[in-house]
Amino acid sequence: MPSFPHLSLPTKVNGKFRSPQGGSRIQNTQTQQNLNNRSGHGEYLSSSMHQLTAEWSSEKERRSTEQLPALPEAYPIFLQVDPNIFQPDQIKTSFGLEVIAEEDNGFIIGSSIDINLPTLAEKIDKFVNMSGKFKNKAAQLWQIVTGNQWRITEILSGELQAKWEEIQDNEKYIVDVGIACSIPIPNAPVKMTEETIEHHNERLERWKNRKEALQRERDEIALSRQDEFEKFIKNYDGELLDSFVEAEDSFSCRIEIKGIGLKDLVLTYPYVFEVIEAEEIYDIQETTSLHGLDFYPELLAPSNKDPKVCIIDSGIQESHRLLNPAIHLAASKSFISDSSTADLVTNGGHGTRVSGVVLFGISIPRNGTYQLSCWIQNARILDNNCKMPETLYPPSVMREIVEYYNNNFGTRIFNLSVNSSIACRRLHMSTWAYEIDKLMSERDIIFIVTVGNIFSSSYILSIPGIKQHLERGSLYPDYLLESSSRIANPAQSCFALTVGSVCISEYNTTDRKSFGCKDSISSFSRIGPGIWGMVKPDIVSYGGDFIYQNAGFVSIAEHEETSPELVRATTGGGPAISRDKVGCSFAAPLVTQIIASLQKLLPTESTLLYRALVANSSSWPETPIGDTATDRMLKFYGFGIANLEKTIDNSAHRITMISSGSISAKNADVYTIKVPDEIRRPGNDNDILIEVTLSFKARPRRTRRESKSYLSTWLSWQSSKLGESASQFTKRVLGDETSTDTTGTGQETIKWVIGNRVNTGINGIRLNNSSLQKDWTTIKVYALPENFSIAVIGHQGWDKDPSSCVDYSLVVSFEDLSRELPVYELIRIENQIETELNIQTEIVL
């Protein structure tokens, strides 16, 4: 048991969030120019529209003449709208089109079931003639793109674009396809000022019935489109390699199809928004010299109540003397065609090594008795070459694994030290990452994933290795900032805990040296940010580092001084323990070990809290100066290096307070912590570190871009100002929307390290874009406020239902960096007075 356990946050007040007064969205200058040139812009739109309908008619006639496979009765269209003021979901009511996908810079892939585009034609006519309520709407429609070449650049992945001209008609290709299928849900009715509650509830009930009817219609359309799609690809000897993966607004699948069919699919199929070549999924297994070790501790098996950790990897040597007591044999399962669950990867295996890190960390006990603290479950998805078979569709196998282990064994922790070989795409969430997000939104589970590794050497131009970076003069760590070094799929997952790697130690001789020193970013660790400005990696841990020699030629290798101590598969011979591998694969299970420790300590708490506690206890190895340095630290380290001891326990000088709840959009929960006078005493010059972390999850969807369109509801947090009382802050956050009271606006804002930076973020990284939001600050004790308040605020995403709630966990810690003040006991006693009288009281305003 911890000596200084985490405590519950004291009183919580909740109510309607009082959003700050702000201006409306500002239209782009291009929209204003269109308004000033109605005749010219209207003529351009009308001409483009008629050219497009003529192209559709010609294509329809050509397909009939050549007896090509039938397409759905819909026509693809590519538009650009004013991204400042036009919302994609408005396209149905504004122009009579279905949104297929939202792209960058205001571009929208759409479709029309009417070849003549009557609604669009009507809006253009009203725009030109300045008639009707929506006479200005067409000004926000900047262009209608004719032809079909845009489909190659917008729908195809970069890898397929590069190969497009080389695709052979009769050769078969394996690709992942995304098909849109959504129906916009209207906004819920807002209560009018003079409206009775009964009348408003009647309107709300009608809206809910309408919403349910639209959702049923959407499901029917999805089934119909799946049937149409299967019929279409069968005409080209195509087949589904796995089942469809459903999203709120689309479905995806992996198919094998002839080149001629792939071309037809990309250029003409109206509902497709994404076609990606099946990515190579692997984990790096470099050939190395062997540094063998052998220890013989006495291992005690976990208890029946201890956490279960699912290792999704290459299999495990389950008979290994260092692992066997913790292996949950009844749960072992292979999800590839080879039914064996053994780890047969050469040079000591991979899943075996990962499992050892979860149990022992990166230092294995030499002797004596060692109590194993969790069970290891073996889910094999990689073959003997440490690669995922192409016929295995990653999102489908993720769901199959979670349903098997969570349903049958109650498993909540999943370690995935497996990635794609290339940097993730940044426009839409991948199906793999989306499925992880969806599973985490549906269940109380957590995925710990890696950022992915950069090869020590690779001559593939799109994914250069470290050797190639150095040979062309791009030095460590600058080459990590190149686009090819961006985190790899599925590390961009919004809800997964994404882990990068840092160096264990430094090595330096006359002819060879490590790239970094202890706590520096590892030479192979991919970096952030994630897509849409999310903070990724979330945290980092110790995965080791390469050493290099640069004497006329570049030579890169592992070395025992810079490598973690790992359990090694002995199936092919060799020692049971070695220090001969490095990689993010071994950083992630260190974090998994911490998560398992939290589940053992707090078994009834949510995995959201585990995620928040791990991030809250992480820290950067140095303090950056300026936004440029802070930007680099965020990209390299996320919120910092994970720390097991600080995650599960406090000290006399540090206190951590926790709370979990649920909240709906346009509402806020306010927590207040009393800061004792003994800490704030004048003349005391100690520095107090305050850390705040919010973790939440919501329902995701795929065809939109940006976090706030990806999530059904999104959350943020806000702190009180220095000198602002709890009542002032509560009134500012939850006050009457009509109130003009600005109490507290003149007080000094706390200078957080990352900060809200609502407009620009730090080089595009914005804390509010992430579902894991940590920030921290250092304040002199004499400047601390009497009360420190935090508000958790709900914001509307794509879900229009005002009653929809999302779960969250909040963590707040105070630490005396001088290690002098008994912070834990003083804050505990000061807040216990109220807690004893009113334990976790919720006041509804």
Side-chain angles (χ1 to χ4, degrees), residues 812-826:
V812 182
S813 63
F814 286 72
E815 181 178 3
D816 175 18
L817 297 180
S818 303
R819 300 182 62 80
E820 296 174 350
L821 296 172
V823 168
Y824 187 95
E825 193 64 13
L826 289 173

Side-chain angles (χ1 to χ4, degrees), residues 83-352:
N84 291 355
I85 58 176
F86 192 95
Q87 298 299 302
D89 285 343
Q90 297 175 356
I91 201 169
K92 182 71 174 177
T93 53
S94 297
F95 305 128
L97 305 173
E98 177 184 341
V99 177
I100 301 303
E102 180 186 4
E103 307 294 297
D104 277 332
N105 303 316
F107 281 100
I108 296 174
I109 300 175
S111 71
S112 172
I113 58 173
D114 193 320
I115 198 169
N116 296 310
L117 298 168
T119 305
L120 178 58
E122 180 187 12
K123 288 289 168 49
I124 296 172
D125 183 68
K126 289 180 181 294
F127 172 72
V128 172
N129 295 303
M130 294 186 64
S131 63
K133 181 179 178 181
F134 301 104
K135 61 181 179 292
N136 295 331
K137 201 66 183 178
Q140 299 171 22
L141 174 56
W142 291 356
Q143 63 172 314
I144 301 170
V145 181
T146 56
N148 64 4
Q149 288 306 295
W150 61 266
R151 295 181 65 84
I152 296 173
T153 57
E154 298 299 322
I155 292 174
L156 283 180
S157 64
E159 293 71 33
L160 270 179
Q161 286 183 47
K163 298 176 180 178
W164 184 250
E165 297 299 328
E166 301 167 8
I167 291 176
Q168 303 298 308
D169 285 355
N170 291 315
E171 187 175 332
K172 285 201 168 183
Y173 298 85
I174 295 177
V175 294
D176 297 339
V177 182
I179 305 290
C181 181
S182 67
I183 294 180
I185 305 293
N187 288 322
V190 178
K191 186 179 181 300
M192 313 300 283
T193 305
E194 303 297 327
E195 187 179 21
T196 65
I197 293 177
E198 291 77 11
H199 187 265
H200 177 252
N201 286 340
E202 288 176 6
R203 291 199 299 134
L204 193 60
E205 190 62 30
R206 288 196 296 271
W207 174 85
K208 288 180 178 178
N209 292 336
R210 175 62 176 155
K211 175 188 173 185
E212 290 173 1
L214 289 172
Q215 289 172 331
R216 288 193 296 272
E217 182 183 349
R218 183 265 169 206
D219 292 342
E220 292 169 1
I221 292 172
L223 289 173
S224 174
R225 290 187 183 178
Q226 288 171 7
D227 289 342
E228 287 177 331
F229 180 73
E230 282 197 79
K231 290 176 183 176
F232 176 82
I233 64 173
K234 282 179 180 177
N235 285 288
Y236 294 107
D237 292 336
E239 63 173 326
L240 290 174
L241 297 181
D242 211 324
S243 56
F244 290 109
V245 172
E246 297 277 357
E248 291 276 352
D249 57 351
S250 60
F251 58 87
S252 304
C253 57
R254 175 163 289 186
I255 66 171
E256 186 175 45
I257 192 171
K258 281 185 175 179
I260 188 171
L262 177 60
K263 293 175 184 176
D264 197 16
L265 172 69
V266 171
L267 292 174
T268 65
Y269 205 81
Y271 301 129
V272 67
F273 68 91
E274 180 180 75
V275 179
I276 300 172
E277 187 175 27
E279 297 175 343
E280 184 180 34
I281 297 169
Y282 72 102
D283 214 299
I284 294 176
Q285 284 297 104
E286 309 275 3
T287 301
T288 64
S289 57
L290 189 62
H291 303 283
L293 303 164
D294 264 325
F295 308 140
Y296 292 87
E298 180 186 352
L299 302 176
L300 303 180
S303 74
N304 291 335
K305 293 182 180 180
D306 282 340
K308 304 174 185 71
V309 176
C310 179
I311 305 298
I312 307 172
D313 215 283
S314 62
I316 300 170
Q317 185 186 347
E318 296 174 346
S319 61
H320 198 292
R321 60 180 173 80
L322 292 172
L323 304 183
N324 181 258
I327 298 295
H328 186 187
L329 291 171
S332 299
K333 185 173 180 178
S334 173
F335 293 84
I336 62 177
S337 57
D338 181 357
S339 61
S340 170
T341 57
D343 184 1
L344 300 176
V345 173
T346 57
N347 295 320
H350 190 268
T352 301

